């Protein structure tokens, strides 16, 4: 007897105005498997899954669940069909508890008490079965992103999902958190659940999936067994050309010191010291990579240097001291001094999502003479400049009149990077440069950062991706608990040594077990210090 696919999509098409997001898509996902879907940003992956989850209605095509044709007009119908979805940007109420978020929308009757009691009991069982331990009484706003993602998975399982869709699940996770997520997914598969994993990270595809489908420009181009393919072949299928999976750069030629930081300290509004006497320097023509588990001071370092947050200590740029607390300590003054800043969180600090692409490209640089005509903004000039940046950085769709929220995460990132890199800064501050970005765009962004370095500019980069730190940096500084633990040269270190330093262990004795590193990282990851 032939087993029916858990999911089968036939002839799915979807257009948004002139943009054809999905074109005649056919895909079969077998039960009890992890099926990966990969493709460049804007390839149509998330649109396809949003159709399956009832967020969008297809213009054409049919959906079959367990061999039966199923109409999914909305997310309630998807949940009723046994489908759960964990979105890239979580759908949680931050001032509600874990328990309240799990029950929200699935209450049984007018009184909440029985629903909460049932959910508490079920959460205990799920935590034991799938390694989804999380405090049911914790507020969402007090949890790190790794824990919040577990809550999203628990929400789907509480609603008895047999099919779980995860959209770029590791885009906001550290490597340690991602590894734990993969163990959870393997446990779910072992229990017979069907998983669809949307990602652009080839390591994840090769590590956890059974089958992988490749999308390009709205079409399904290939479906292969993971064991019968390779990262190089998948990258070529995604992009339509051979892709260099490592950073191609010549040795750095460092020049004068551009940025000097001495004894930088930051205390937050709760009195917690986030930076504890950080000292470093970045020279012209080099990339200093800052490695560390999220939440150990890297964000605060970028924010102080970029003028978003105040601190104490001493910072000099090209030999001249920067005001840290006075009227000239703001981000606008930093930009005027030659500092460009690509923030870690493009949604909160890099873009206004409801504004057009051309408006976002002008933010922070609206006083530039080329954007002004007397007392008025020359919007036509700004739009022409935006169109040139969109073309150079291959932003899709190539439409400056699209609002920022209508671009995929990777294309949003390219908009921010285009705005900042094209200003020819003396110093580039860049946080998580390729978070949520596909393989082709990663290659392009890395090339642009290296080109800036080779033009004699200084680059300070923060990334939680150790492979990115090792391949892109000329020097590496490791942060833990608001301090610099030490510096290393990429060719003289490795992921194990950096992992020890990221866990606060400076003794690199070879007898230190890997389990100790993982335990230390686990205590740090996802927690709000």
């Amino acid at each position: 007897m032939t087993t029916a696919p858990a999911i089968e999509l036939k002839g799915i098409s979807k257009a948004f105005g002139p943009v054809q997001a999905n074109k005649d898509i056919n895909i079969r996902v077998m039960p009890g498997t992890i099926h990966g879907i990969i493709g460049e940003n804007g390839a149509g992956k998330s649109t396809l899954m949003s159709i399956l989850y009832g967020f969008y209605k297809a213009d054409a095509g049919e959906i079959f669940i367990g061999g039966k044709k199923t109409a999914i007009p909305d997310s309630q119908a998807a949940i009723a069909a046994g489908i759960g979805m964990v979105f890239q940007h979580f759908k949680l109420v931050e001032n509600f508890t874990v328990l309240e978020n799990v029950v929200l929308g699935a209450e049984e009757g007018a009184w909440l008490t029985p629903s909460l009691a049932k959910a508490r009991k079920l959460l205990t069982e799920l935590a034991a079965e799938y390694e989804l331990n999380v405090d049911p009484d914790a507020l969402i706003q007090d949890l790190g992103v790794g824990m919040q993602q577990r809550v999203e998975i628990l929400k789907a399982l509480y609603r008895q999902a047999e099919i779980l869709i995860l959209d770029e699940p590791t885009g906001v996770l550290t490597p340690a958190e991602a590894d734990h997520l993969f163990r959870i997914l393997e446990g779910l598969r072992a229990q017979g659940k069907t998983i669809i994993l949307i990602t652009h990270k080839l390591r994840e595809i090769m590590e956890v999936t059974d089958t992988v489908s490749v999308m390009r420009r709205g079409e399904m181009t290939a479906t292969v067994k993971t064991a019968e393919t390779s990262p190089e072949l998948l990258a070529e299928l995604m992009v339509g050309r051979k892709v260099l999976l490592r950073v191609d750069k010549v040795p750095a030629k460092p020049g004068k010191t551009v940025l000097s930081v001495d004894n930088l300290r930051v205390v937050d509004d709760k009195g917690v010291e986030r930076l504890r006497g950080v000292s470093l320097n970045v020279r012209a023509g080099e990339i200093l990579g800052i490695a560390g588990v999220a939440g150990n001071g890297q964000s605060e370092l970028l924010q102080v240097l970029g003028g978003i947050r105040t601190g104490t200590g001493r910072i000099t740029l090209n030999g001249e001291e920067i005001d840290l607390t006075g009227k000239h300590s703001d981000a606008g003054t930093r930009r005027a001094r030659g500092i460009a800043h690509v923030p870690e969180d493009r949604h909160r600090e890099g873009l206004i999502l409801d504004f057009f692409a051309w408006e976002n490209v002008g933010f922070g640089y609206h006083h530039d003479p080329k954007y002004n005509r007397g007392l008025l903004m020359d919007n036509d000039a700004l739009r022409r400049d935006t169109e040139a940046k969109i073309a150079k950085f291959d932003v899709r769709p190539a439409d400056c009149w699209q609002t920022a929220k209508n671009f995929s995460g990777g294309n949003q990132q390219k908009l921010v990077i285009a705005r900042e890199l094209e200003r020819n800064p003396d110093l580039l501050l860049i946080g998580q440069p390729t978070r949520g970005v596909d393989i082709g765009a990663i290659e392009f962004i890395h090339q642009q950062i290296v080109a800036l370095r080779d033009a004699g500019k200084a680059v300070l980069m923060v990334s939680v991706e150790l492979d990115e730190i090792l391949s892109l940096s000329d020097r590496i500084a490791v942060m833990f608990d608001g301090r610099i633990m030490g510096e290393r040269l990429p060719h003289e270190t490795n992921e194990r040594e950096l992992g020890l330093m990221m866990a606060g262990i400076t003794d690199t004795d070879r007898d230190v077990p890997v389990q100790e590193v993982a335990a230390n990282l686990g205590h740090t990851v996802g927690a709000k210090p």
Side-chain angles (χ1 to χ4, degrees):
M1 181 177 176
T2 303
T3 303
I7 300 168
E8 186 170 12
L9 305 180
K10 295 182 178 180
I12 298 293
S13 293
K14 178 66 178 177
F16 297 95
V19 179
Q20 188 73 43
N22 291 155
K23 183 179 179 182
D24 195 26
I25 298 287
N26 296 291
I27 185 173
R28 292 159 56 96
V29 178
M30 301 309 293
T33 65
I34 300 179
H35 192 116
I37 300 181
I38 61 173
E40 292 187 276
N41 294 118
K45 311 181 298 294
S46 296
T47 298
L48 185 65
M49 291 302 103
S50 293
I51 290 170
L52 179 57
Y53 194 62
F55 268 27
Y56 296 144
K57 179 176 174 58
D59 299 331
E62 299 174 318
I63 299 173
F64 293 82
I65 306 295
K68 296 180 180 179
K69 185 176 178 180
T70 306
I72 305 183
D74 52 38
S75 59
Q76 289 301 315
I79 292 168
I83 301 172
M85 186 163 180
V86 178
F87 292 87
Q88 183 176 3
H89 302 291
F90 305 143
K91 311 293 184 183
L92 299 171
V93 181
E94 292 203 347
N95 60 347
F96 278 24
T97 66
V98 169
L99 200 60
E100 289 166 342
N101 270 278
V102 168
V103 170
L104 188 63
E107 303 89 344
E108 297 177 1
W111 299 100
L112 279 177
T113 303
S115 294
L116 291 172
K118 175 185 174 182
R120 186 181 295 276
K121 180 176 182 295
L122 186 57
L123 256 62
T124 302
E125 295 171 358
L126 293 171
E129 190 170 3
Y130 299 117
E131 289 189 67
L132 285 164
N133 297 293
V134 59
D135 180 3
D137 298 310
L139 292 175
I140 295 299
Q141 64 193 22
D142 294 331
L143 298 178
V145 290
M147 287 293 182
Q148 290 185 24
Q149 188 177 71
R150 293 187 199 182
V151 178
E152 287 282 22
I153 295 173
L154 285 167
K155 278 174 56 181
L157 295 177
Y158 180 74
R159 289 157 176 75
Q160 300 183 320
E162 291 298 321
I163 299 163
L164 193 61
I165 306 166
L166 292 98
D167 187 2
E168 298 287 0
T170 63
V172 293
L173 301 184
T174 66
E177 289 174 310
D179 289 341
H180 188 268
L181 172 65
F182 296 154
R183 292 197 300 273
I184 292 170
L185 297 185
E186 288 165 356
L188 290 166
R189 175 177 58 187
Q191 295 294 324
K193 306 292 186 185
T194 302
I195 314 255
I196 299 179
L197 179 65
I198 306 172
T199 183
H200 63 273
K201 296 183 179 180
L202 298 180
R203 178 183 74 85
E204 297 173 4
I205 287 292
M206 299 304 298
E207 185 174 332
V208 298
T209 65
D210 302 296
T211 307
V212 54
S213 294
V214 184
M215 292 185 68
R216 185 166 74 243
R217 297 184 182 273
E219 300 185 55
M220 193 67 70
T221 60
T223 295
V224 296
K225 295 290 185 184
T226 308
E228 298 173 0
T229 189
S230 67
E232 292 76 15
L233 178 58
L234 290 176
E236 188 172 348
L237 287 169
M238 284 171 62
V239 182
R241 58 175 174 81
K242 290 189 180 298
V243 177
L244 191 65
L245 296 180
R246 58 179 176 80
V247 178
D248 186 18
K249 61 186 176 74
V250 299
K253 297 177 181 178
K256 68 172 185 176
T257 297
V258 173
L259 173 71
S260 179
V261 178
D262 183 42
N263 196 31
L264 185 61
R265 295 180 180 274
V266 168
V267 178
D268 68 14
D269 54 6
K270 296 181 180 178
V272 177
E273 194 171 24
R274 298 294 185 173
L275 294 181
R276 304 166 183 259
V278 169
S279 298
L280 55 84
N281 65 79
V282 190
R283 293 171 290 178
E286 75 165 350
I287 300 169
L288 174 66
I290 306 291
V293 175
N296 279 278
Q298 308 96 306
S299 298
E300 289 77 9
L301 176 62
L302 286 178
Q303 289 168 352
V304 173
L305 294 175
I308 299 174
R309 182 189 285 261
T310 60
T312 61
R314 189 168 185 266
I315 301 174
T316 60
L317 182 72
N318 291 322
E320 296 183 8
E321 191 162 351
I322 287 178
D323 187 359
L324 287 179
T325 57
K327 64 179 181 179
H328 298 300
S329 63
D330 63 295
T333 302
R334 303 294 165 84
R335 283 191 289 270
R337 292 279 297 272
I339 298 177
H341 183 194
V342 176
E344 290 182 291
D345 190 333
R346 55 181 170 261
H347 284 179
R348 290 187 180 182
E349 299 172 345
L351 299 163
I352 299 180
L353 296 178
D354 288 325
F355 280 51
F356 297 121
W358 65 269
E359 293 173 311
N360 276 281
V361 166
F363 288 148
Y365 300 101
H366 46 282
H367 293 302
D368 190 318
K370 70 180 180 181
Y371 297 155
N372 287 273
R373 185 174 52 210
L375 297 176
L376 302 175
M377 286 281 292
D378 187 348
N379 290 337
D380 288 338
L382 178 53
R383 283 190 282 268
R384 288 193 298 271
D385 186 51
T386 301
E387 288 168 353
K389 288 179 169 63
I390 283 175
K392 179 175 179 179
F393 282 76
D394 191 26
V395 178
R396 303 176 192 172
D399 181 3
C400 73
W401 283 99
Q402 287 282 338
T403 56
K405 67 183 177 185
N406 286 336
F407 291 93
S408 65
N411 283 296
Q412 290 173 353
Q413 184 77 347
K414 285 195 278 187
L415 270 178
V416 177
I417 288 175
R419 180 182 68 210
E420 301 300 327
L421 265 65
E422 290 292 281
R423 307 307 300 189
N424 193 32
D426 291 332
L427 170 66
L428 172 66
L429 309 173
I430 185 163
Q432 316 304 341
T434 57
R435 174 174 281 170
V437 176
D438 62 66
I439 191 72
I442 287 173
E443 179 190 39
F444 179 81
I445 290 170
H446 284 171
Q447 288 171 347
Q448 298 304 307
I449 294 171
V450 171
L452 195 70
R453 179 206 74 165
D454 291 345
K457 309 301 182 178
V459 179
L460 188 149
M461 175 186 71
V462 168
S463 177
V464 296
E465 303 284 356
L466 277 184
D467 55 350
E468 183 168 60
I469 287 284
L470 283 163
S471 62
L472 200 56
S473 305
D474 300 306
R475 285 188 297 126
I476 301 170
V478 181
M479 289 191 70
F480 172 76
D481 195 26
R483 297 182 176 90
I484 299 290
M485 300 300 295
E487 287 192 8
R488 296 291 186 272
L489 296 176
H491 63 276
E492 294 178 354
T493 189
N494 53 44
E495 289 194 10
R496 184 181 185 278
E497 182 182 29
L498 294 178
L500 286 165
M501 296 171 71
M502 289 164 62
I505 301 170
T506 54
D507 181 4
T508 55
D509 188 322
R510 295 297 179 185
D511 293 332
V512 177
V514 173
Q515 290 83 354
E516 182 177 338
V517 181
N520 279 315
L521 286 171
H523 288 307
T524 307
V525 170
K528 284 197 173 185

